[in-house]
Amino acid sequence: MALVKVFFWGMTISFLGTLPLSTLNIAAMQISLQEDIHNAMYFSLGTLMAEMILVRIALMGINWVRKQKIVFKWFEWITLIIIITFAAGSFIAATKDNGAKNIMLNNTMNRFALGMIMSALTPMHIPFWFGWSTVLFTKKILKPSKVYYNVYVIAIGCGTFLANCIFIFGGKLIVSKLNANQNMLNWILGAIFALTAVIQLFKILWNKDASEKLGAIEKN
């Protein structure tokens, strides 16, 4: 029963945490629209695999990760650059012949590998999961045990995948209803990425950033 509770909380938090606009879920949607569902699924599996590995490693070396505040500060800016690049790529594709793809996706790289690499380069989920893991530890829902950690990480992967499916299939459904062409899609996706970049910049400049969150957890 205790492990079921850990799975439920891990999956729920992951699902809700993946729903806000981000580079990864919008990229998954863009792949589903400009390529196919299968590639979008592979990409999504790659992102959640990297997330699960990073969170699992972080749980084993919490004290070491907490000290890497400057690294996370740099990763916040790297994430912003990636989002801006996707936005620019979508806008550039929109100005070309119909059917042009985002330059970031115009490659033959395996989509699972691409998802893993992009997720690894934007590991903002680690501070997010540090915060929630601290809460679950405090509530005695999560315990420092390999079994608990493994169930927790699997639940995180399930929640992330379910949320990404909303973007993958929801994007397909919306586009079919609007009967939009590729150029229009690129303009729309570019605008979404641009909005996401503004939100990310706001988080960096005005909100408590990842390094401060790690420091707050360390004090607790």
Side-chain angles (χ1 to χ4, degrees):
M1 187 64 183
L3 291 177
V4 173
K5 184 182 292 187
V6 170
F7 185 89
F8 170 79
W9 280 107
M11 186 173 67
T12 301
I13 294 169
S14 181
F15 176 79
L16 296 177
T18 307
L19 288 179
L21 297 179
S22 72
T23 314
L24 300 178
N25 53 33
I26 300 302
M29 181 174 71
Q30 190 166 27
I31 291 174
S32 73
L33 297 176
Q34 297 188 333
E35 295 179 13
D36 54 47
I37 295 291
H38 289 94
N39 281 350
M41 287 291 192
Y42 288 139
F43 176 84
S44 179
L45 289 172
T47 63
L48 69 89
M49 182 61 67
E51 179 181 16
M52 290 168 65
I53 292 173
L54 288 172
V55 173
R56 185 66 180 85
I57 292 173
L59 287 172
M60 291 188 298
I62 287 178
N63 291 330
W64 180 85
V65 177
R66 282 175 179 167
K67 298 176 182 178
Q68 312 308 310
K69 300 174 186 178
I70 295 178
V71 174
F72 280 100
K73 186 66 177 178
W74 279 105
F75 269 121
E76 286 187 321
W77 287 101
I78 292 174
T79 299
L80 177 62
I81 292 172
I82 292 174
I83 298 172
I84 292 174
T85 303
F86 262 94
S90 293
F91 287 136
I92 292 172
T95 63
K96 296 183 178 181
D97 293 335
N98 189 37
K101 293 172 62 175
N102 189 318
I103 57 174
M104 291 290 287
L105 300 177
N106 193 18
N107 57 69
T108 58
M109 181 182 292
N110 179 277
R111 291 323 186 204
F112 181 86
L114 180 64
M116 285 198 70
I117 292 172
M118 286 185 60
S119 183
L121 289 175
T122 56
M124 290 301 99
H125 21 250
I126 293 182
F128 173 84
W129 284 112
F130 263 5
W132 278 108
S133 297
T134 300
V135 172
L136 296 180
F137 275 125
T138 302
K139 299 293 184 182
K140 300 188 183 304
I141 295 174
L142 182 62
K143 298 179 181 178
S145 161
K146 287 185 178 180
V147 175
Y148 276 81
Y149 286 170
N150 291 338
V151 171
Y152 185 52
V153 168
I154 292 172
I156 289 172
C158 290
T160 298
F161 184 73
L162 290 175
N164 280 338
C165 283
I166 291 179
F167 285 87
I168 293 171
F169 291 99
K172 276 283 191 183
L173 179 61
I174 293 173
V175 168
S176 65
K177 294 293 183 182
L178 295 176
N179 195 26
N181 59 36
Q182 285 294 329
N183 278 33
M184 183 183 296
L185 288 178
N186 283 321
W187 284 115
I188 293 172
L189 291 169
I192 293 175
F193 276 120
L195 175 61
T196 306
V198 172
I199 294 173
Q200 175 69 11
L201 181 61
F202 178 82
K203 288 180 179 179
I204 294 173
L205 298 180
W206 284 282
N207 286 0
K208 182 181 289 187
D209 59 28
S211 61
E212 290 176 336
K213 288 177 182 177
L214 289 172
I217 294 169
E218 187 173 11
K219 291 176 183 177
N220 292 331

